[in-house]
Amino acid sequence: MNQDFEQAKQQFVEGLRCFEAGRYEQADEHFRSSLALLPGRPSTLTNLAATRLKLQRPQEALEIVEQALAAAPDDVDAWALRGMALVALQRQGDALEAFDRALAIDPSLAPAWSNRGAILKDMHRIPEAIVSFEKAIALGADPEVNGWLLASLTGARAPVVAPSRYVERLFDDYADSFDDHLVSVLRYQAHVALVAGLPHIAGRRHARALDLGCGTGLCGPLLQPLAGRIDGVDLSGRMLDKARTRGVYDELAQADVVQYLQSTAGRYDLVVAADVFIYIGDLDAVFAGVHRVMDAGVFCFSVEALDDGRDFALRSSQRYAHSEGYLRALAKRHGFDVAQVLQRTLREDQREPITGLLVYLTIG
């Protein structure tokens, strides 16, 4: 029995090491081996559940964490994990109950307050969401990310760009289901409409295209008939892994789009950004960067439309919207000519159409 315990402990420790290193498949194997030697151990079950979440298997994570809670009903980590699994399964009400249960056990659990705020925001319970984000920050949760989420609800002291950690984590977690959710659920069509307008602007095949914020590469196959070479850049490594499987990109870089534009040696005659600037409010550095990598060609992009007199604004959806006047002023400042601005429905949000602008600029 002691030998089984020691072997189970070694497997558990190795599982933790693999988890921390991001080797989730290996972590899963070690935790399962540990449980085979020492069945029903709550701490091993919760770590296995956390691993299944990282592997994008939330239903399995939920089933495992419920085994842990059956053995240890007051395990605060298990309740928090249950909430995270339920969020991934889009069971928001049940997830809220799980986070509330975790906070009843330990009110100082900052991540639970943050997750609670996100759920309440989606449920349109804005005052409660604000309180949750404020508590999360007070208890030590990431001030940049939670401050940005809070600003999206209050409008106060809104940063001019989404935190890179937030965007990278969001899309790393979203990578496996991104295409299906975006196209089938949100009825996303900005990439198709944006690329469809290009032949009318340039009237020729481009030598080298850059897909800014390329994500899983939805634009790549659409750009292939229009460009001899296509490069892509995105913050999310997991999204880039998906884009790589399409086989249409010559080079893919994991980087912040502004930093890439400021440092790359590449030259382009087509730069495309579909549904990217919803995470960047102040676009001045983007325009400067695109100007840097282009001698002549087309810069086209989509934005959510703003018509309240402001240049740009962070909305409660955690997305930025931009005014046409602001975009035209930026184009003039950075040496671009406005070829065309079209108003289109970009996608749906909770079954409401989101109106956006398709903008085509030329230079040289």
Side-chain angles (χ1 to χ4, degrees):
M1 184 65 181
N2 286 338
Q3 185 178 4
D4 284 352
F5 179 84
E6 286 303 318
Q7 289 178 352
K9 180 180 177 181
Q10 289 174 10
Q11 290 290 339
F12 177 77
V13 170
E14 192 58 36
L16 291 177
R17 288 176 181 154
C18 290
F19 186 93
E20 291 299 323
R23 301 195 303 271
Y24 302 121
E25 293 284 0
Q26 292 169 273
D28 190 277
E29 291 177 11
H30 286 297
F31 290 136
R32 285 189 289 109
S33 296
S34 181
L35 285 167
L37 292 162
L38 204 62
R41 190 171 177 84
S43 59
T44 312
L45 287 166
T46 55
N47 279 281
L48 180 58
T51 304
R52 294 288 167 89
L53 275 178
K54 289 293 187 181
L55 291 169
Q56 307 291 314
R57 292 151 65 180
Q59 183 59 47
E60 295 174 20
L62 180 62
E63 292 166 3
I64 293 165
V65 84
E66 286 179 345
Q67 294 177 45
L69 285 168
D74 292 329
D75 187 326
V76 66
D77 292 332
W79 279 110
L81 278 167
R82 188 175 193 274
M84 292 167 66
L86 289 164
V87 167
L89 293 167
Q90 299 185 16
R91 292 169 55 183
Q92 303 289 62
D94 292 334
L96 183 61
E97 289 181 10
F99 287 121
D100 283 344
R101 183 68 179 267
L103 290 167
I105 299 167
D106 182 2
S108 67
L109 199 63
W113 283 111
S114 184
N115 280 297
R116 186 177 189 273
I119 294 170
L120 289 166
K121 185 272 297 181
D122 288 343
M123 296 173 75
H124 302 288
R125 293 162 60 177
I126 303 304
E128 295 171 83
I130 289 171
V131 170
S132 290
F133 287 130
E134 289 174 340
K135 284 184 177 290
I137 295 168
L139 290 167
D142 187 325
E144 184 183 22
V145 170
N146 284 275
W148 183 75
L149 292 168
L150 182 61
S152 74
L153 301 179
T154 65
R157 299 185 298 279
V160 297
V161 64
S164 60
R165 288 192 299 280
Y166 170 83
V167 176
E168 183 176 5
R169 185 167 65 239
L170 173 69
F171 287 104
D172 274 352
D173 292 343
Y174 197 14
D176 288 339
S177 60
F178 180 79
D179 288 4
D180 183 62
H181 184 257
L182 198 64
V183 176
S184 301
V185 178
L186 300 183
R187 302 183 187 279
Y188 172 68
Q189 51 194 304
H191 63 308
V192 175
L194 186 65
V195 176
L198 275 171
H200 306 291
I201 304 301
R204 62 177 176 83
R205 184 174 169 84
H206 297 273
R208 186 167 175 172
L210 175 61
D211 188 356
L212 283 180
C214 63
T216 61
L218 284 173
C219 275
L222 303 176
L223 291 171
Q224 200 169 21
L226 305 178
R229 175 188 172 96
I230 309 171
D231 295 340
V233 58
D234 201 276
L235 261 179
S236 167
R238 294 200 65 198
M239 297 288 268
L240 289 172
D241 289 341
K242 297 290 184 181
R244 199 167 285 113
T245 64
R246 296 184 186 271
V248 300
Y249 290 93
D250 294 274
E251 183 177 322
L252 289 166
Q254 184 176 1
D256 171 84
V257 295
V258 171
Q259 293 173 357
Y260 182 86
L261 290 167
Q262 291 173 343
S263 61
T264 182
R267 308 297 297 177
Y268 301 95
D269 61 349
L270 173 61
V271 177
V272 178
D275 223 29
V276 178
F277 299 154
I278 56 175
Y279 298 106
I280 307 173
D282 186 347
L283 294 174
D284 190 73
V286 173
F287 274 61
V290 173
H291 184 277
R292 175 186 173 274
V293 303
M294 294 186 76
D295 296 316
V298 179
F299 172 32
C300 65
F301 55 88
S302 62
V303 297
E304 289 192 9
L306 184 69
D307 57 5
D308 64 1
R310 291 178 290 176
D311 289 342
F312 60 88
L314 177 60
R315 290 174 162 168
S316 61
S317 59
Q318 279 95 61
R319 294 193 292 262
Y320 290 95
H322 300 81
S323 72
E324 182 176 343
Y326 171 66
L327 299 172
R328 287 182 177 275
L330 278 179
K332 183 177 181 181
R333 185 185 312 156
H334 291 282
F336 292 96
D337 294 319
V338 178
Q340 194 170 43
V341 179
L342 303 173
Q343 189 173 98
R344 292 286 187 274
T345 295
L346 303 180
R347 65 180 171 280
E348 294 180 358
D349 187 358
Q350 299 187 16
R351 301 188 178 181
E352 291 295 323
I354 301 299
T355 301
L357 302 174
L358 306 180
V359 181
Y360 298 86
L361 309 179
T362 59
I363 190 171

